[in-house]
Amino acid sequence: MATSTPQDPAAPSASSAPPRPAALPGPLADSLVFFASGAVLVLEILAARMLAPYVGVTLETYTAIIGVVLAGIAFGTWAGGRLADLIDPRRMLGPVLVAGGLLALATLPLVRGLGELALARGEASAIVLLALFGFFPPAAVLSAVSPTVVKLQLASLRETGAVVGRLSALGTAGALLGTFLTGFALVAELGISPIIIGLGATLVIAGIALGLLLAASGHRRSVGGVLGVLAAALVLAGLGVASGSRCELESAYYCARVEVDPARPSGRLLLLDTLRHSYVDLADPKRLEFDYARVIGDAIDVLRPPGRPLAALHIGGGGFTLPRYLAATRPGSRSTVLELDPALPELARDRLGLETGPALRVRTGDA
């Protein structure tokens, strides 16, 4: 004879459990993880260029950036997973992308504002704090996307390996694309500010669109909220542009600028990141300001009688001080300059009086 076991009225029944949120379409889920992970690495690559004018390019700079961004990824992944267990993940994804976009836009005014303070202090702690305030928040928020999407896509524990493995691989692929595309192409072609503004705007717009698409009944996004987000994005982008850049020219290698010597109106100082690289006197090309340049000039005079023309190969151009010096002190000399950064000769033509021709040839690229 069969008997039934009375059910504990306090125990939740299967019918009373909240319905599981519907999974996202596969291509949409894959794209979100790919794009969010790529955005984090775009910011990490740009961090080195953004911090360079204030703290230079040193081992400490890269250590601070990598450590801070990794900490942001770890914290964001943990926090995103916890929140996805407490809140409907479909309601989270749009706001997370919007917040990540706004924080990405905020990196420009934050780093440029705080960078001047770091430049004045010049301590290792200043480098870490500059990276922390500028890049930890967007890295953490954007890293919450992956665990949120995983939560939505897991229909069964039997699929855990396949789902997590696929999304992890796509996140890594997005990070790789963001790294290579930014480092090898975008910085040299566009510069830092347009990339940051474009990335932040794309994240904000994608987040708004995703929020509207996934909004459940009773949780529709208000027009006022959307307009508020767009207004905040415009304000942050405007602040980023208004904050200005210490770079007169941004290349794939340097933040370069030319400053006038306050003690000598015709003197020009070329700075690459924080390095005083070259000094050029527009009125007197025979003047060698830096000690190393004077040593080279003296060595040339020892090897060859003064005034005799030379054929010289220069590895690196910079401000083109020495080729101009040879032309002025040894008329008829012929100089060939191998310069890695193709942007520097253009800056030297515009600001340092460089004139190329048969007596001074410039070849750019890797020697």
Side-chain angles (χ1 to χ4, degrees):
M1 178 178 177
T3 60
S4 60
T5 303
Q7 185 175 10
D8 183 357
S13 65
S15 59
S16 65
R20 180 184 176 279
L24 298 175
L28 177 59
D30 296 347
S31 299
L32 285 172
V33 172
F34 184 90
F35 178 52
S37 300
V40 172
L41 267 293
V42 169
L43 292 172
E44 183 174 3
I45 296 298
L46 294 178
R49 300 303 315 135
M50 291 179 68
L51 268 59
Y54 307 102
V55 297
V57 180
T58 66
L59 180 61
E60 291 177 337
T61 306
Y62 284 107
T63 300
I65 291 169
I66 294 171
V68 163
V69 172
L70 284 176
I73 293 172
F75 178 80
T77 304
W78 170 79
R82 292 288 295 170
L83 287 174
D85 286 338
L86 301 174
I87 304 172
D88 182 354
R90 295 175 69 91
R91 293 176 57 194
M92 280 181 56
L93 280 172
V96 165
L97 285 179
V98 168
L102 294 176
L103 289 169
L105 291 170
T107 58
L108 285 175
L110 273 174
V111 170
R112 289 171 178 172
L114 297 175
E116 298 297 335
L117 300 176
L119 188 63
R121 295 188 62 179
E123 300 175 0
S125 59
I127 300 174
V128 175
L129 290 175
L130 189 57
L132 184 67
F133 283 109
F135 300 99
F136 180 89
V141 170
L142 291 171
S143 296
V145 170
S146 292
T148 306
V149 172
V150 168
K151 174 74 174 182
L152 276 172
Q153 301 308 100
L154 275 178
S156 169
L157 291 179
R158 297 176 184 174
E159 303 172 352
T160 302
V163 171
V164 174
R166 186 184 79 253
L167 294 176
S168 296
L170 285 168
T172 303
L176 287 171
L177 179 63
T179 298
F180 289 119
L181 186 62
T182 305
F184 286 108
L186 294 182
V187 173
E189 294 297 327
L190 301 177
I192 293 171
S193 296
I195 299 173
I196 291 285
I197 292 173
L199 177 65
T202 301
L203 285 166
V204 168
I205 293 171
I208 292 173
L210 187 64
L212 294 174
L213 176 66
L214 301 181
S217 60
H219 296 100
R220 306 300 297 183
R221 301 294 187 266
S222 67
V223 174
V226 171
L227 293 178
V229 167
L230 292 176
L234 288 174
V235 168
L236 289 171
L239 288 174
V241 173
S243 63
S245 172
R246 290 177 62 86
C247 309
E248 189 172 338
L249 178 148
E250 291 177 357
S251 73
Y253 301 96
Y254 304 110
C255 163
R257 65 188 187 277
V258 175
E259 294 183 354
V260 178
D261 184 354
R264 193 177 183 89
S266 60
R268 299 292 185 271
L269 179 65
L270 172 66
L271 292 104
L272 303 181
D273 296 327
T274 56
L275 176 66
R276 300 171 73 250
H277 189 276
S278 301
Y279 186 97
V280 174
D281 192 322
L282 299 179
D284 183 10
K286 297 179 182 179
R287 177 182 175 83
L288 299 177
E289 180 73 14
F290 293 164
D291 290 341
Y292 82 88
R294 288 196 290 267
V295 169
I296 293 174
D298 292 341
I300 292 173
D301 289 339
V302 170
L303 294 174
R304 293 288 187 275
R308 180 178 296 181
L310 292 177
L313 176 66
H314 305 260
I315 308 298
F320 294 85
T321 304
L322 288 172
R324 286 163 47 91
Y325 171 79
L326 286 181
T329 58
R330 297 170 177 271
S333 294
R334 303 174 70 86
S335 292
T336 299
V337 180
L338 307 180
E339 171 55 51
L340 176 64
D341 191 345
L344 287 184
E346 297 302 321
L347 180 62
R349 290 187 181 96
D350 294 339
R351 297 295 309 279
L352 301 177
L354 173 65
E355 295 181 2
T356 56
L360 176 52
R361 300 181 182 276
V362 179
R363 298 178 183 175
T364 58
D366 195 342

